[in-house]
Each structure stands twice: as C-alpha cells, then as structure tokens.
C-alpha cells in the first residue's frame, strides 16, 4: 500500500492489514445477512487511505464518502462501484459532474432539491433522500419527506430514489431515541417503494430492526468497537491500522522528579523511564493521559506525563527493554479503543489523525 513522502521523515510508522479489512467486512455480512453493504470510506477511509481501502474492499456493494471531491478521486482511480456522496452537491457544476461520472447524491435540503429539479442533466442520477428522524444534523424534516420523495420520483433528472436516515445514539442500545428514530423512519417509508438504509456500525451489531436493504458500516470495518461495553475482539473485529515506533532512550528518574512539559507527572518513587519517538506531530493524541497503555516486548507499559510533538515518555520500571525496540501505540497487540478511552476521544478521531500523517489518499 502507498504511503506519502511525509511518512519517510518519521520513525513512527503506520501499516495496514488488508486481511483485517476483509475479515471485518465479512463480520458486517454476518451481522446483517441479505443486506447490501455500503462501506463508508469518507475522511480518507477513516485515516487508512481512501484509495487503499476502496481497492481492498472490493467485496462491498457500494461506497459512501462525504464530499464530492472524494467521489471524483475514486472515479479518477478507476473505481466503478456505486459511490454515494453523503453531503450531496452544492452547485450545478458538481451535480453535472455527478451525472457524468455516475455518482449518487444525497438530497438533504431544499436548495439541493431545487437545483436538481431545474437542471438539465446529461444522465439522471440516483438520489438518496436523507430524512432527519431525530439526530438534527443533515436531513429533511419528517413532515416534508413525502413531498420531497414524490418530486424526486417524478423528475427526469432522477434515476432511482432511496430513503436514508442516521442514528444519533446507536452505540447506546438502551437510548430511547433509537426506537423513536426507527419508528419515525418506518412511518416515513410506509407505502413508499424504495431501498432504505439506516444502520451504521453500532446499529448493524445491535439494532437489527434497522437494517432494511442497505447497511452503512464505517468504524467496524476498520476494526474498532463503537461500544463501551464490548471490545473489538469481543465483536470479532480485527485492527486494520498498526501504529508503531521505536524506543530511543532509557533513563532513571528519581522520586520527586517531574517528567515532560508542564511537569504534570512527578515520580512518587524511583523509576525507569523510556522515550518513544512518536508524538502529536505523528498523529498520537496529545490528550492521552498518564496511564495510557503502550505495548513493548510483550509487555504493557504506561504513558507518563504530557505527549510532546515527537516523543512520549513511558514507564519501563521492571520491564525488559533496549533502545531501538519496537513499540506499538495501537494495532493488533493493543486496541485503539483503549488509547481513545484514556485520551477523552474516540477511535474515529485517532485513526483519522494518525492516518493523515501517513496517507495522502
Ligand atoms: C451518514 C453516515 N452513515 C454511516 C456512517 C458510518 O458510521 P460508523 O462509522 O459509526 O459505522 C457515518 C459516519 O459518520 C455517516 O455519517
């Protein structure tokens, strides 16, 4: 797989396990048998390189990206699979290009409907009407959905109309909004003949009634769990991104001495400290706290003090370690979800940020 020249300036490395991607896609199909799979590869394939991922996920039925430019790049790379742009288009020019390149669009607001209805497209496009069932992000309101659908259905610029919505809290199975959203969506699609899609990764795994014809997995494809109470391994998911670096120093710290910027970590007892060549400039989260796990020589060590731009300090007390040793920040040996949990963020952000330092597309 390709990596950008910027990656050559770093000791830290990101590598990708394409077998894990295939395994995770298989898990999607096991959780949602009979459904078509729209693999979500926006944000540069959640940091894994959109073009890498699109090639590896050849078994997916469709792809979803957020921006028109992502879809154009997919087509330029030779991808012929159906591609949906989740944000849709903003201008006649974009819409015409969708039509020319056979790219499907979401319609989520009135400007898009107006533009679409008054255009003269060279070829009709497939449209996914996005309905806001309670997330209150993108989507037309419940009361307008039916009229949007009718107008789209009768437009010569539209080939097929699909219906979609998105959950706000699918990762929290007991959240009452999930059922409300599902009920609202069921009401909207009642009597409408269209392929429907609602389920993201969490809903694929825990809300089977929301599967409909097409599911839209993102994070589970990359081997991360959307749930706090189940690990990726529990769900049969495998890490795709392996983020590693090297140990570049080992030194003794005395009780009472502080480590790193801000001196926020002060040793309570004498300890052995290691320095690893990775920092926020390489995509490691600056908000990772003391205690965040780091894996070295079959051992779990802990981060100490603040993350710097190109280094972190770890506790090597009692560990066997030598300068030059391989250190795993996340990947097979250590889940990105664990690192996210102690960094006040989610794996989605960590994967996007780390990948950005290594994969241009
Ligand atoms: C509209 C839409 N569908 C599906 C997904 C995939 O979600 P997840 O990564 O939680 O599976 C996303 C991601 O944000 C999305 O915006």
């Amino acid at each position: 797989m390709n990596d950008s020249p910027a990656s050559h300036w770093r000791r830290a490395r990101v590598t990708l396990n394409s077998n894990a991607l295939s395994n995770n896609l298989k898990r999607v199909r096991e959780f949602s048998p009979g459904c078509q799979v729209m693999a979500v590869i926006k944000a540069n394939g959640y940091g894994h390189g959109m073009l890498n991922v699109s090639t590896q996920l050849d078994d997916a039925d469709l792809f979803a990206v957020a921006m028109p430019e992502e879809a154009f790049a997919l087509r330029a790379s030779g991808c012929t699979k159906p591609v949906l742009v989740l944000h849709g288009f903003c201008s006649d020019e974009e819409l015409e290009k969708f039509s020319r390149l056979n790219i499907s669009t979401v319609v989520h607001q009135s400007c898009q409907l107006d533009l679409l209805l008054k255009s003269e497209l060279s070829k009709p496009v497939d449209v996914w009407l996005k309905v806001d069932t309670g997330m209150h992000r993108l989507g037309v309101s419940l009361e307008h959905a039916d009229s949007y659908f009718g107008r789209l259905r009768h437009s010569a610029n539209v080939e097929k109309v699909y219906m979609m919505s998105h959950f706000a809290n699918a990762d929290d199975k007991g959240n009452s909004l999930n059922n409300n959203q599902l009920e609202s969506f069921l009401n909207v699609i009642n009597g409408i003949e269209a392929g429907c899609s609602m389920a993201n990764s969490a809903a694929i795994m825990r809300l089977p009634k929301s599967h409909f014809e097409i599911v839209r997995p993102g994070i589970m494809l990359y081997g991360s769990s959307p749930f706090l109470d189940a690990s990726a391994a529990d769900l049969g998911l495998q890490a795709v991104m392996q983020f590693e670096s090297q140990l570049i120093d080992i030194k003794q710290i005395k009780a009472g001495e502080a480590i790193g910027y801000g001196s926020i970590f002060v040793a309570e007892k004498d300890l052995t400290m290691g320095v690893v060549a990775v920092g926020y400039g390489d995509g490691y989260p600056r908000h990772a706290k003391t205690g965040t796990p780091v894996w070295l020589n079959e051992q779990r060590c802990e981060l100490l003090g603040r993350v710097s731009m190109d280094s972190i300090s770890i506790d090597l007390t009692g560990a066997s370690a030598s300068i030059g040793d391989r250190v795993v920040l996340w990947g097979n040996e250590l889940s990105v979800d664990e690192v996210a949990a102690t960094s006040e963020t989610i794996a989605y952000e960590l994967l996007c940020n780390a990948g950005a330092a290594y994969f241009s597309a």
Side-chain angles (χ1 to χ4, degrees):
M1 289 184 177
N2 287 333
D3 53 3
S4 74
S7 66
H8 301 314
W9 309 334
R10 302 169 196 280
R11 218 179 271 272
R13 286 258 160 267
V14 166
T15 52
L16 303 179
N17 177 355
S18 50
N19 291 335
L21 258 183
S22 308
N23 168 77
N24 299 339
L25 176 57
K26 209 168 112 231
R27 291 297 290 146
V28 172
R29 294 207 186 274
E30 286 164 2
F31 277 109
S32 51
C35 295
Q36 287 203 298
V37 176
M38 179 187 288
V40 181
I41 57 171
K42 62 183 184 169
N44 203 15
Y46 286 46
H48 296 68
M50 180 183 68
L51 300 182
N52 289 333
V53 168
S54 66
T55 312
Q56 297 300 328
L57 287 178
D58 196 41
D59 279 351
D61 301 292
L62 315 91
F63 289 132
V65 292
M67 318 286 170
E69 289 72 15
E70 295 173 299
F72 303 154
L74 277 173
R75 285 290 180 257
S77 78
C79 168
T80 53
K81 226 181 253 307
V83 176
L84 174 64
V85 176
L86 295 169
H87 286 191
F89 55 91
C90 281
S91 66
D92 276 329
E93 293 71 35
E94 278 178 357
L95 179 55
E96 178 54 41
K97 202 160 170 187
F98 282 16
S99 149
R100 238 182 315 120
L101 296 176
N102 194 21
I103 292 168
S104 311
T105 184
V106 162
V107 162
H108 58 79
Q109 39 104 326
S110 57
C111 293
Q112 290 172 326
L113 180 69
D114 296 343
L115 269 179
L116 185 50
L117 296 183
K118 74 176 171 49
S119 290
E120 285 179 21
L121 295 180
S122 38
K123 257 188 307 143
V125 290
D126 282 348
V127 174
W128 293 65
L129 177 58
K130 186 162 187 179
V131 184
D132 178 7
T133 51
M135 178 156 180
H136 300 139
R137 198 176 59 174
L138 297 182
V140 304
S141 63
L142 293 172
E143 59 270 36
H144 289 126
D146 200 44
S147 101
Y148 268 70
F149 182 81
R151 292 164 77 194
L152 288 167
R153 255 274 296 273
H154 293 109
S155 166
N157 287 326
V158 177
E159 179 73 39
K160 246 180 161 173
V161 189
Y162 297 83
M163 300 291 284
M164 67 182 287
S165 190
H166 194 50
F167 283 111
N169 298 302
D171 54 332
D172 176 11
K173 189 173 182 220
N175 194 300
S176 58
L177 187 59
N178 292 332
N179 257 338
N180 295 346
Q181 286 195 258
L182 183 55
E183 287 297 315
S184 299
F185 192 59
L186 285 167
N187 282 335
V188 163
I189 61 173
N190 186 22
I192 278 179
E193 263 202 30
C196 294
S197 176
M198 197 169 187
N200 60 355
S201 299
I204 288 167
M205 293 186 276
R206 291 204 172 155
L207 300 171
K209 288 189 178 140
S210 71
H211 287 176
F212 300 103
E213 287 79 24
I214 303 119
V215 293
R216 304 193 308 269
I219 197 70
M220 70 182 290
L221 289 173
Y222 306 99
S224 155
S225 166
F227 308 117
L228 290 176
D229 63 351
S231 70
D234 294 339
L235 302 166
L237 302 174
Q238 295 172 6
V240 177
M241 183 184 287
Q242 182 80 13
F243 189 21
E244 297 182 354
S245 192
Q246 265 185 327
L247 191 65
I248 55 166
D249 198 6
I250 300 175
K251 59 170 60 162
Q252 301 307 314
I253 300 291
K254 292 209 164 44
E257 289 180 334
I259 293 173
Y261 283 122
S263 304
I264 58 167
F265 176 83
V266 180
E268 281 176 7
K269 48 187 190 254
D270 294 356
L271 60 84
T272 305
M273 183 194 85
V275 179
V276 182
V278 70
Y280 58 82
D282 305 292
Y284 193 80
R286 183 171 179 277
H287 295 291
K289 292 201 174 46
T290 290
T292 299
V294 167
W295 190 94
L296 173 143
N297 295 339
E298 314 290 332
Q299 309 148 95
R300 283 166 74 100
C301 304
E302 293 191 345
L303 180 78
L304 299 174
R306 251 186 209 150
V307 172
S308 299
M309 185 181 284
D310 43 47
S311 67
I312 57 172
S313 301
I314 60 173
D315 190 353
L316 290 179
T317 310
S320 94
S322 312
I323 288 176
D325 280 352
R326 181 174 79 102
V327 178
V328 178
L329 289 324
W330 60 71
N332 283 330
E333 301 84 351
L334 177 66
S335 166
V336 64
D337 296 319
E338 281 193 66
V339 180
T342 57
S343 309
E344 291 174 4
T345 185
I346 49 178
Y348 298 69
E349 185 184 20
L350 297 190
L351 296 172
C352 285
N353 286 348
Y358 301 88
F359 303 110
S360 48

